[in-house]
Structure formats: structure tokens, C-alpha cells
Amino acid sequence: MLGETDRTGYRQWAGFVLMCLGMFMAILDIQIVATSLPAIQAALGIAPDQMVWVQTAYLTAEIVAIPLTGFLTARLGMRWLFFAAISLFTLASIGCAASTGFAQLVAWRIVQGFAGGTLIPAVFAAVFLLFPPRAQALATTIAGVAAVLAPTVGPIVGGWITQSFSWHWLFRVNIVPGIVAGLGALYFLRGAAVGRRERRPVDLLALALLATALIALQIGLKDAPTFGWTAPRVLGLLAVAAAGAGGFAWRTLVSHAPIVELRCFADRNFTIGCVLSFVLGFGLFGSTYLMPFFLGLVREHGPLRIGEIMLVTGCTQLLTAPIAVYAERRVDPRLLTAFGFVLFAIGLLLSTGQTEQTDFTAMILPQIVRGAAIMFCLLPPTRMALGRLPDRLVADGSGLFNLMRNLGGAVGLALIDSTIFSRAQVAGNQIADQLRAGDVATAVRIGIPREAFLEQRGQPLDDFATEMVRPLVEKAALVPAVNTAWLLCGLLTILAVLALFWVRRAPPSDTSP
């Protein structure tokens, strides 16, 4: 595959590797920020129930950008699209590092997410657009290694950076690789106007409808536990989200120059692959949010320790990646996908029994199981979704496929956050009732000294005692709430396996209906 002697072939491989570097930084950014969310929260004074927006803002912006990948590839060509995206991503990283408040950080995260949203689908589309079929396996492996290596090293790198320097360096580390990847790809891929087609205008109305739907959905899901699911505010936001999504679909289908080809969904395998991608995003982003949330707020670990604990998932994922790549070319993708999703669900459900004392030792097995499953949940559905599409739809299809994974992550984070804080309120009230009833076991479990509780039992708490007990109750209430969120992720992953019964077994070359 690498034996071509003409310089163009080598330039394509070098340019593609640099594109993978840009994708690596975009994936790494999500991982290292997730590990250090508690540190960022403490530094900027972010309320615990608002912490999720640091990640949600990034993912939502990515979702808006991803459908534009096909349009932007046709308009700019793959080379200039990548250069523009990595340049904006690097600039936004500088802005995130310079942020002094929550609103400013979220604003830059939106810009960063919008730029990063085109990097991952651009790389996967490049596999099919830059290389002939005989070289696509090697290109897929290179991209897969980059995609796997980022979450492997992300937790420990994020924790080490935050603890050794400051959280600002979580974003500053993107600057030099971003410049190298952008300028390098611009040089090595010169003359490769791959994917560039006729100029077509951007449908600003469709884009506005998509953004409106996503923002309304995120805010509605976030506000539901606070105001209630039947509150006019929540129902109104969800109605706006539904109307925006419907309007976007209608506008895109009737447009002569759509920003994304929704007709990709006419292929049954592509649709099922997107459903699986959505569920994978739900569980994947959900698990990388729940672990640092629990370890930071319940176990009170620092960023480096959180990264050390979370390293298990990434290492297992890296070790099993070659097995998944080997099997993906030789085993029925339906069987591999079912194996991956069932294994991933088991890994999620193993985390539903956490207690206030759960730490590294008890978290090893669930992480190993989840890490071993991830590549089996990613590679077969990717080929299932994109392998049957004609070349003209690959860029759009790749964008939609990755959009669904990020959409699953954004919706998952919102629902998980809603689940945690609604369940925590109920659990907190139950613990408070047990304490008022004089339950010594509950008092000791949440950290109140036995003797102190016995002395105070039966007497009204003064202000000092109340302030001492309140954080203990709040921390203890988070444990069953987090366990409920793990259960939600696991059950949804199990249900996704049912979609495999509708997958077509015909080879990609088959054109029968």
C-alpha cells in the first residue's frame, strides 16, 4: 500500500496522517476536559448543576457543524475545509484558555465545538475520497488508532496537566499541534481538491432551524427536573425543538441545494447504523461524564487521580483495537455489533451498584468491559452505514453518522444530568427523614460520627450543625442518583441491539431494493 513511488501518493499519506492529528486533538479535548470538570468548576465558581454545559456546549455546536461537512467539502474541497476547521479550533482553544468566567468559557466552547465538528467526519470521509479501495483498510486503521489513542491517554494527560500546571493548559496544548496539522495538511494535500464539486448556496434557514431545535431541546431537557416535565416553559421548549426539527427535515428534503443529504436515510443499513451511533454516543459520553462527576464530587479526588482511575478504559480500548480491526474484515458485522453493544451494556450496568466507598478497585472490571466493547460498537456500524453509499453521498453520510453519535452524547448528557439532580433531591429528602428519625446506621454511612449523632439525636439542629450535615447529605444523595444514570445508559444500550434484526445482509455491491 505504501509502495507507490510517485510523490503524490506520499503526500496524500502524509496529509492524511496530519488530518488524523487534528482529529486526535478534537477527541482528546473532550476527554481531558471531562477529567478536569470538577477542577474547572471550582476555579470558575460554576454551580454543580451547570457544570455539564462545559461539555454540552461543545457537543451541541459540533452537532450543528457536522451536517455542514458535506456542503463545506463540496464548496471548499477537503484540503481547505480541514485547514479552516483546525485553524478555528486552535483559535477557540486560545479563547477557552483565556476565559475568566462560566459564560465566556461556554461561548468559546461553542466556537471550538463548531470547528471540531467537521474534523472527525472529514477524516473518515477522506478514507474513501483520498485512497483506492485496496488502501482504505490501512487508512481506516490509522484513523482508528488516532481515535482510540485519544481517549486512552486523555484522562491521565488531562489530570496531569491540571494538577501540574492549571486547567488553562487543557486548551493551550491544542495550539502547537493545531498549527502543525493545519499548515502540514495545506502543504501535503496541495492539488488534492478531493470532494469539491459545483458551488451551492448554504441554506441559512435550514441551519437556523437545526440550531434552534438543538438549543431548545438541550435547555428543555435541562430545565425539566427544576420546573417539572409538564411546566409550560419545558413543554414550550420541547415543542419548539420538535417544530425546529420538523422544519429542518422538510426544508432539507425539498431544497435543491440541501446542506446535508437526508436521503442517505433511504438506505436501511445507514439508518440502523445511525441509530446505533446515537446510542453509542449516549453511553460513551455519558460514562465519561459520570465517572469524573462521581470521583470528583463524591470521592473528592483531584484531576490526576481521576485520570489515573479512568485510564483503565482507554488502555483496554487500545489493546482490543487490533482484534476489532482484524475481526471487522472477517466476521458478520451484525454479530460483531451485537457482541460489542451487549458487552458495553454489561459494562455500564456493572457500575449501577456504586457506594460512597467505591473507588479504583471496584471500578476496574466495569471499565475493562466497557473498554473492550467500544471498538466493536464503532467499527462494524461505521462500515455498515457508509460502505453501501455512493461516493457522492459519502461526505454527507459521514457527517450524519458522526452527528448522530454526538447528538446521542448531547441528549445523553442532558438526560443524565436531569436524572442525577432529580433523583438526588428525592434521595436527599429520604436521607434527611432517616436522620430526623434517629437512624444511626444512615448517619454513620454518610460520615457523621456515631457519638456526635447520638448526642444530638432527638434535639433540633442548630445552624452550625445544619451547615455541617448538609454537604454530607448532598454528597450521599448523589450516589443513588449516579447509579440510576448508569442504569439508564445500560438499558438503552441493550435495547439498541434489537435494531440489528433489520440490517440487510447483502454485500455493498448489491443494488437490489
Side-chain angles (χ1 to χ4, degrees), residues 160-336:
W160 178 77
I161 288 174
T162 302
Q163 197 150 312
S164 301
F165 303 98
S166 70
W167 66 269
H168 306 84
W169 283 94
L170 297 172
F171 303 103
R172 290 172 183 163
V173 295
N174 295 329
I175 298 173
V176 173
I179 293 173
V180 171
L183 295 179
L186 196 65
Y187 172 76
F188 286 110
L189 295 178
R190 66 187 187 277
V194 179
R196 189 168 184 174
R197 302 194 304 271
E198 75 284 352
R199 287 178 171 265
R200 52 178 182 177
V202 61
D203 192 338
L204 294 177
L205 177 58
L207 188 61
L209 288 169
L210 175 63
T212 300
L214 291 170
I215 293 170
L217 177 63
Q218 293 297 308
I219 297 175
L221 293 175
K222 189 73 178 62
D223 286 350
T226 303
F227 298 96
W229 287 95
T230 58
R233 172 190 175 92
V234 175
L235 293 177
L237 286 167
L238 295 180
V240 170
F248 168 75
W250 171 81
R251 177 76 181 184
T252 303
L253 289 172
V254 302
S255 175
H256 294 293
I259 61 174
V260 62
E261 280 288 356
L262 293 182
R263 291 178 178 84
C264 291
F265 287 106
D267 184 280
R268 185 198 307 171
N269 284 10
F270 178 80
T271 302
I272 295 173
C274 285
V275 171
L276 296 172
S277 184
F278 178 92
V279 175
L280 176 62
F282 194 109
L284 196 57
F285 287 106
S287 60
T288 56
Y289 174 70
L290 285 170
M291 284 199 67
F293 185 95
F294 176 86
L295 292 170
L297 297 183
V298 177
R299 298 298 298 159
E300 298 182 346
H301 286 316
L304 181 57
R305 183 55 181 161
I306 294 175
E308 291 171 348
I309 295 173
M310 294 180 65
L311 190 62
V312 175
T313 301
C315 288
T316 308
Q317 185 178 346
L318 185 63
L319 291 173
T320 56
I323 301 173
V325 171
Y326 177 85
E328 192 267 337
R329 305 289 295 185
R330 293 165 176 82
V331 181
D332 186 339
R334 299 194 311 165
L335 296 177
L336 281 182

Side-chain angles (χ1 to χ4, degrees), residues 268-269 332-335 388 500 502-508 510:
R268 185 198 307 171
N269 284 10
D332 186 339
R334 299 194 311 165
L335 296 177
R388 296 175 51 87
L500 294 172
W502 284 272
V503 173
R504 290 187 63 187
R505 301 185 63 181
D510 179 46

Side-chain angles (χ1 to χ4, degrees), residues 414-438:
L415 287 177
I416 286 170
D417 213 42
S418 299
T419 300
I420 288 175
F421 288 100
S422 58
R423 179 74 179 88
Q425 184 177 2
V426 175
N429 292 335
Q430 292 173 345
I431 294 172
D433 291 340
Q434 291 168 345
L435 293 178
R436 293 189 190 99

Side-chain angles (χ1 to χ4, degrees), residues 356-357 431 434-435 438-454 457 469 472-473 475-476:
E356 291 89 339
Q357 285 73 45
I431 294 172
Q434 291 168 345
L435 293 178
D439 189 335
V440 179
T442 299
V444 173
R445 178 173 61 83
I446 70 172
I448 300 176
R450 181 184 181 89
E451 293 75 13
F453 182 76
L454 290 174
R457 187 166 60 173
V469 171
L472 297 176
V473 173
K475 184 168 71 171

